[in-house]
Each structure stands twice: as C-alpha cells, then as structure tokens.
Amino acid sequence: MKKLHVGLLIGAALVVGLSAIGGSAIAAKKKGWGKYQVDDRRSGYTYTAKETIAIQDDELGNPASLWLDEGQALWSKKDGKAGKACATCHKDAATTMKGVATSYPKYSKKTGKMQNVEQRINQCRTENMQAKPFKYESKQMLSMTIYVKNQSHGMPMDVSVDGPAVPFFEAGKKFYFQRRGQLDMSCANCHVDNPGNMIRANKLSQGQGNGFPTYRLKWQKPGSLHRRFRGCNKQVRAKPYGYGSDEYTNLELYLGWRARGLPVETPSVRM
Ligand code: HEC
Ligand code: HEC
C-alpha cells in the first residue's frame, strides 16, 4: 500500500497513525460478533465503543426512537390531493414493509435508474398521494425512512446487482475505488485498507451502510447515508455530490452489495 502522506493529513487536521500500517487489514479473525459479522464483512457496530452500542441497543433510550415514532405517525396521516395516507394502500407496515429495505437500492423501470428507499417514498408521495415530495434530509424524510427500514430490522441485506442493475453497480464500484480530493484518497483507502486503525478520535470501520439513517452523537440527530457520503468526501477535501444524486445512489448500491448478509440495523447509533 502506498504510504499515506502524513503531511497532507496533518494539514487537513485528520492525522494519526495511518502511515504506520501496510497491507489490507480487514480483520480476518472471527471475534464472535454474531450476526454483525458475515465472513470478513463487519458492521460498524463491531467497531463502535461499548457505551455507544449500549445506546443503540436500548430500545427506549435510543435517541432515534423519536424519529421512529414520528415516522409511524406519518404513516397513517393523510396528505396530498388524493386524500390518502401510506396506510391507505400499504396497511400494516410491519407486514407490508417487512424485508423491503434489504433489497434497496433497486432498479426502477419507470426512471430507468436505481432508486433508494427515500426516492421510492417520494415516488409514492407524488404519484400515489399527489402530495409534495419530502426534502431529502428533512425531519419527515428521515423519520419515514427510519420507519420503513426499521421494519426489516435484523434481516440480512440482499440487493440485486444483476440484470439491469449491472451498469449502476459498476459505476458505484468505480466511484468507491477512485481517488479524489486534495488528499487524493478513495473510499477504499480508509474503509478497505484501514479498518480498526484510528483516524483523529475515530476508529475506522469498514464504512458499511446497513445502519442508516444513523443517529450520530456528533450531529445530535439522525442523518442519511448520503449525508455521510458528503462528510466522507469533504474529509479528503473533495467536492461532495448532491443528496439523492445518481452518483450517490449508485454508490449506495455498491455499499448494499458490500454489506450483503449483514443485518439492517436502522436506526443505528454512531459517534
Ligand atoms: C395509492 C396507493 C399508495 C399509497 C398512498 C402509497 N403507496 Fe407506496 N406503493 C404503492 C404501489 C402500487 C407500490 C408498488 C408495489 C410493488 O412494486 O409491488 C408501492 C411501493 C412502495 C414501496 C416499495 C415496496 C417494495 O417492495 O419495493 C415503498 C417503500 C412504499 N411504497 C412506501 C410508501 C410510503 C412510505 C407511502 C406514504 C408516504 C406510500 N408508499 C404511499 C402504492 C401506494
Ligand atoms: C480519510 C478517511 C475516509 C475516507 C477516504 C472515507 N471515509 Fe467514510 N468514514 C471515515 C470515518 C473516520 C468514519 C467514522 C468511523 C467509521 O465508521 O469508519 C467514516 C464512516 C463512514 C460510514 C458510516 C459507517 C457506519 O457504521 O455508520 C460510511 C457508510 C462511510 N464512511 C462511507 C464512505 C464512503 C462511501 C467513502 C468514499 C466516498 C468514504 N467513506 C471515504 C473516514 C473516511
């Protein structure tokens, strides 16, 4: 592995320890992480401090439960010109939305592109409810996405990367390994080459997306996977892409494949 340029890292106030390691470091040893590890794939859960994990695992104490409750309330609330709620068509989410999140992003015949859960929710809002789309990072969108994904809690991620998804998967994969920004680093430089190593105050994980939207203690609220992508792009001083952009939706598909078999953890809690 090319040694990371420490000077640049210090310049960007990132720092510490990264230059010392060589080789691919995905911990191959099984550490008894149970369902949070499948082969060499490990959820961020397994890299997160015990105190933070305890917050996630406490059903009442998980601060994202407020957003989950909000999503549940929105589910049955009529909105838009058609006078419908999600529940009008989808009835009980515990049944109809169970497992749905494991297969997203998914190819949409209608748009000819990949569609993530947020985008599918907005399609239902505009077409089936004749209601305004939710803004991507709004409280409503985060709440509804958390609610829908939470119906698949504990179920293994299983996105399709065959058939019409192939070119989108390839684009997402290319993005993942492309070096970018002033620090000239790819996603893989941090999340494939260095999981387990410290960067600033954080222990690097494999950068898995199975817990999103995640409640970040730093944000004091939940944020979408695309918000995280933007943050990671900015860390290397690269231009972030837009929320819901094709670039990020394809990247999300690649991450869905990377996470195959890992459980949907939404809403996870992270530093
Ligand atoms: C007028 C009926 C109607 C309403 C109202 C409606 N939907 Fe849908 N929804 C559908 C139909 C039809 C589909 C496509 C089903 C399929 O592909 O099998 C769908 C699909 C979905 C899917 C993808 C399911 C899958 O298996 O891939 C999600 C998620 C979803 N809707 C969420 C919502 C949410 C959240 C709301 C409220 C904001 C909502 N829908 C409102 C009719 C509706
Ligand atoms: C300079 C190192 C660095 C690069 C490059 C980087 N990230 Fe990250 N990323 C981090 C840090 C630090 C965290 C927080 C600790 C952790 O989970 O690794 C993080 C967290 C994440 C998480 C959240 C993991 C979880 O369990 O909640 C995802 C997803 C992620 N990154 C994806 C990406 C993607 C996709 C790219 C490429 C666009 C990328 N990262 C590039 C440093 C980086």
Side-chain angles (χ1 to χ4, degrees), residues 45 47 82 91-92 97-98 166 193 195 206 221 228 259 268:
Y45 185 99
Y47 293 91
K91 313 290 179 205
D92 182 8
M97 291 294 134
K98 190 171 181 183
V166 168
D193 299 337
Q206 294 180 2
K221 69 193 284 268
R228 182 79 242 198
S268 64

Side-chain angles (χ1 to χ4, degrees), residues 71 74-77 79 82-90 96-101 103-104 106 115-118 120-131 134 144-145 147-148:
L74 282 173
W75 182 259
S76 310
K77 196 175 155 204
D79 194 8
K84 289 182 174 142
C86 314
T88 314
C89 297
H90 295 296
T96 61
M97 291 294 134
K98 190 171 181 183
V100 167
S103 66
Y104 275 75
K106 205 184 220 174
Q115 193 173 46
N116 64 14
V117 169
E118 287 89 338
R120 177 67 238 199
I121 290 169
N122 267 347
Q123 185 186 336
C124 276
R125 284 189 55 80
T126 54
E127 289 174 12
N128 293 324
M129 297 165 69
Q130 293 170 45
F134 289 143
M144 185 59 86
T145 306
Y147 182 65
V148 168

